[in-house]
């Protein structure tokens, strides 16, 4: 890899004040010396870390005046000799300089290859490398804060600590295999069993946190469903603080999915308005209802709207609540500014729903604070502002690895507890623990394979 030198623009190809081009690899210093000339006509020698200003020129003449910063290995982002050229941000100039670098022995980098090299050269762990992509693609302030925390090592510290405990357990089991006479005294209650159970529970807690973190990173997808004219669009507008959905007295105004990103009490939401759910012969409305049902099934939170001014159709409203996960659903009784046609306390009896109930008036904008607190209590387990700093994992790949590790630990505990008193199946236990450690290693990069790395870095942008 030392002789393989890569290059790519690090800035978006559009008209701008500055464009940045990165180079990394063993030929970096030589390429920079060959294309760069100081204004006095001399060639810079680019010492271990330097910044120079001069002209970049190829065989056809001067391309641009630029500033170059050179970083000598290993004190660079990638751990290799590396340079960054800041030129004028005209895409033609950026493209010409990139092509010139390639003609001197460089090649265009693959997506994420700079960060991949940083990982392979020990400049960052794999979770931090993935955080780089999350920082670039963050869609809200919370997502950015979580990604920065991950980049700075919060996830690595949490997962590595658990993996170290796991490796320690493996050492105990290995010793028991090698010296069975010492382990015989532990018959029926081998010492590591309780430690394995404890570690498994901690992995499951971390996986649950990862699920919450993923929701915060992507925005809590909050889907509003209900019968036509129950006030779904009005509620979306009230929560968003602006009119984003059309509201008319006519039922069936909303036909398509309307998605609005908003921040409420510091948490990112994606509010989703849907078509009113009813039987229809209209093709467009039938498709709208299908999309509404699909959105409800995929929701992080489902707000099931019930019109306080209309009598409850028990069968229809029970069907509404069955569209989404009942553990993530809230019965929202809207239009409470009108004379209610039923007692909201009877929701469970009238609609078969025993979850939380929120009373709101989207028109008068009352009850919204209570509703958002109820949403937070479901997502975060508390109606107080959740401490985002407690979230250390937001990546669903990492959540899956944590769950797999917990499953392997569960198998190890079962094998240990079910072992014959005289001959405990410690080899099977050790194999399960080794598998769990491998899953955790896939998060930090302690255990990797090329297919995994290709899959991770393929989603990066070129130049990062």
């Amino acid at each position: 890899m030392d002789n393989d030198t890569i290059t790519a623009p690090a800035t978006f190809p559009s008209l701008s004040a500055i464009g940045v081009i990165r180079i990394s690899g063993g030929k970096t210093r030589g390429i920079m010396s060959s294309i760069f000339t100081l204004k006095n006509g001399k060639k810079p020698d680019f010492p271990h870390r330097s910044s120079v200003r001069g002209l970049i020129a190829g065989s056809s003449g001067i391309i641009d005046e630029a500033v170059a910063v050179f970083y000598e290995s290993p004190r660079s982002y990638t751990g290799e000799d590396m340079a960054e050229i800041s030129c004028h941000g005209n895409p033609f100039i950026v493209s010409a300089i990139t092509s010139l670098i390639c003609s001197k022995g460089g090649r265009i980098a693959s997506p994420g290859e700079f960060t991949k090299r940083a990982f392979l050269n020990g400049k960052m762990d794999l979770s931090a490398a993935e955080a780089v992509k999350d920082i670039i693609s963050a869609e809200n302030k919370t997502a950015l804060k979580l990604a920065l925390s991950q980049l700075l090592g919060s996830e690595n510290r949490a997962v590595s600590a658990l993996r170290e405990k796991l490796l320690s357990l493996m050492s105990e089991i290995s010793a028991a295999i090698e010296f069975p006479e010492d382990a015989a005294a532990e018959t029926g209650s081998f010492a590591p069993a309780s430690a394995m159970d404890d570690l498994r529970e901690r992995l499951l807690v971390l996986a649950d946190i990862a699920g919450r973190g993923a929701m915060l990173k992507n925005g809590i997808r909050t889907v509003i469903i209900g019968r036509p004219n129950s006030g779904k669009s009005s509620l979306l507008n009230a929560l968003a603080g602006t009119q984003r959905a059309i509201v008319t007295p006519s039922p069936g105004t909303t036909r398509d999915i309307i998605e609005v990103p908003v921040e409420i009490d510091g948490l990112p939401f994606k509010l989703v308005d849907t078509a009113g759910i009813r039987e229809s012969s209209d093709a467009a409305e039938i498709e709208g209802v299908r999309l509404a049902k699909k959105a409800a099934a995929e929701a992080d939170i489902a707000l099931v709207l019930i019109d306080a001014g209309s009598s409850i159709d028990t069968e229809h409203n029970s069907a509404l609540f069955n569209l989404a996960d009942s553990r993530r659903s809230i019965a929202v009784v809207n239009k409470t500014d009108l004379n209610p046609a039923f007692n909201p306390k009877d929701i469970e009896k009238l609609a078969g729903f025993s979850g939380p109930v929120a009373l709101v008036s989207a028109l008068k904008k009352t009850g919204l604070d209570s509703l958002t607190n109820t949403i937070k209590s479901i997502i975060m387990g508390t109606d107080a502002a959740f401490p985002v700093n407690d979230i250390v994992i937001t990546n669903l790949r990492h959540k899956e690895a944590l769950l797999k590790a917990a499953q392997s630990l569960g198998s190890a505990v079962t094998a240990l507890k079910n072992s014959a008193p005289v001959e405990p199946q410690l080899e099977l236990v050790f194999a399960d623990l080794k598998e769990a450690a491998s899953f955790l290693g896939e998060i930090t990069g302690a255990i990797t394979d090329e297919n995994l790395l290709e899959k991770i870095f393929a989603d990066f942008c070129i130049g990062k």
Side-chain angles (χ1 to χ4, degrees), residues 135-177:
I135 288 173
I136 294 171
S137 60
E139 296 181 356
N140 58 72
K141 289 185 290 186
T142 301
L144 179 58
K145 181 175 182 178
L146 293 172
L148 285 170
S149 175
Q150 184 177 328
L151 178 66
L152 295 175
S154 61
E155 179 176 2
N156 178 273
R157 288 189 293 272
V159 175
S160 293
L162 295 179
R163 189 167 185 268
E164 283 300 315
K165 291 182 180 296
L166 189 52
L167 294 176
S168 178
L169 285 172
M170 290 173 62
S171 178
E172 290 187 47
I173 296 295
S174 179
I177 293 173

Side-chain angles (χ1 to χ4, degrees), residues 55-388:
L55 302 174
I56 293 180
S59 58
S60 59
I62 295 173
I63 298 174
D64 195 20
E65 181 181 20
V67 173
V69 180
F70 177 79
Y71 305 91
E72 188 176 53
S73 169
R75 296 175 180 176
S76 69
Y77 178 78
T78 61
E80 305 170 333
D81 280 356
M82 185 175 174
E84 291 185 347
I85 299 171
S86 297
C87 61
H88 292 98
N90 187 308
F92 291 112
I93 295 174
V94 174
S95 177
I97 295 174
T98 304
S99 297
L100 178 61
I101 293 169
C102 289
S103 73
K104 299 294 184 179
R107 67 166 174 82
I108 297 296
S110 302
E113 191 168 1
F114 288 93
T115 302
K116 181 179 179 181
R117 291 187 176 205
F119 163 68
L120 292 174
N121 290 324
K123 302 299 289 186
M124 62 178 68
D125 69 273
L126 191 56
S127 63
E130 290 176 280
V132 173
K133 178 172 71 71
D134 289 342
I135 288 173
I136 294 171
S137 60
E139 296 181 356
N140 58 72
K141 289 185 290 186
T142 301
L144 179 58
K145 181 175 182 178
L146 293 172
L148 285 170
S149 175
Q150 184 177 328
L151 178 66
L152 295 175
S154 61
E155 179 176 2
N156 178 273
R157 288 189 293 272
V159 175
S160 293
L162 295 179
R163 189 167 185 268
E164 283 300 315
K165 291 182 180 296
L166 189 52
L167 294 176
S168 178
L169 285 172
M170 290 173 62
S171 178
E172 290 187 47
I173 296 295
S174 179
I177 293 173
E178 190 170 354
F179 305 104
E181 64 279 2
D182 294 337
E186 306 289 349
T187 299
S189 59
F190 196 66
S194 60
M196 290 182 201
D197 267 329
D198 178 67
L199 188 55
R200 177 177 173 274
E201 287 301 316
R202 293 174 67 180
L203 288 172
L204 291 174
V205 169
L206 204 55
D208 179 64
I209 290 174
R212 299 179 184 186
M215 274 189 280
L216 291 178
K217 180 174 76 172
N218 300 318
I220 302 166
R221 191 169 178 81
T222 306
V223 178
I224 307 171
I225 59 174
R227 300 182 71 175
N229 219 23
S230 57
K232 298 182 299 300
S233 298
S234 296
L235 179 60
L236 180 140
N237 290 337
L239 289 171
T242 184
Q243 183 167 344
R244 301 298 298 272
I246 297 173
V247 178
T248 73
S250 302
T253 300
T254 302
R255 297 291 184 93
D256 206 350
I257 298 293
I258 298 174
E259 188 171 303
V260 180
V262 299
E263 185 175 289
I264 301 174
D265 292 345
L267 295 180
F269 286 81
K270 286 186 178 177
L271 303 177
V272 181
D273 189 15
T274 62
I277 296 176
R278 65 177 176 182
E279 296 294 328
S280 175
S281 59
D282 181 86
E285 188 168 10
I286 290 173
E287 177 63 11
V289 170
R290 185 190 71 81
L291 292 174
K293 292 179 178 180
K294 182 175 183 292
E298 297 172 350
D300 294 325
I301 291 290
L303 304 182
V304 184
L305 240 64
I306 299 174
D307 186 345
S310 302
S311 59
I312 283 190
D313 180 332
T314 301
E315 182 179 351
H316 183 85
N317 282 289
S318 295
L320 281 177
F321 285 107
N322 289 332
L323 294 175
D325 186 342
S326 60
R327 296 168 299 177
R328 297 288 178 99
S329 298
I330 302 172
V332 182
V333 181
N334 188 29
K335 305 183 183 180
T336 53
D337 51 305
L338 305 177
N339 291 324
F342 61 90
N343 188 339
K345 294 181 180 180
D346 294 335
I347 289 292
E348 181 174 1
K349 180 176 66 177
L350 296 173
F353 177 69
S354 59
V357 178
L359 308 181
V360 305
S361 169
L363 179 64
K364 302 293 186 181
K365 296 181 174 57
T366 58
L368 300 182
D369 288 343
S370 176
L371 173 59
T372 54
N373 282 335
T374 303
I375 293 173
K376 288 190 290 184
S377 72
I378 294 176
I379 295 295
M380 303 303 181
T382 175
D383 60 359
F386 185 79
V388 174

Side-chain angles (χ1 to χ4, degrees), residues 7-14 16 18-23 77 82-87 94-95 98 109 114 136 461-464:
T7 185
T11 48
F12 190 76
S14 64
S16 59
I18 294 176
V20 176
I21 302 156
R22 309 177 96 185
I23 314 173
Y77 178 78
M82 185 175 174
E84 291 185 347
I85 299 171
S86 297
C87 61
V94 174
S95 177
T98 304
F114 288 93
I136 294 171
C461 58
I462 294 176
K464 196 55 183 172

Side-chain angles (χ1 to χ4, degrees), residues 13-49:
S14 64
L15 294 175
S16 59
I18 294 176
V20 176
I21 302 156
R22 309 177 96 185
I23 314 173
S24 182
K27 297 179 182 179
T28 298
R29 181 185 265 116
I31 291 174
M32 291 297 293
S33 294
S34 69
I35 68 173
F36 220 87
T37 304
L38 300 177
K39 286 192 173 182
N40 60 12
K42 295 182 179 180
K43 288 288 186 179
D45 56 6
F46 290 105
H48 63 92
R49 181 168 183 174

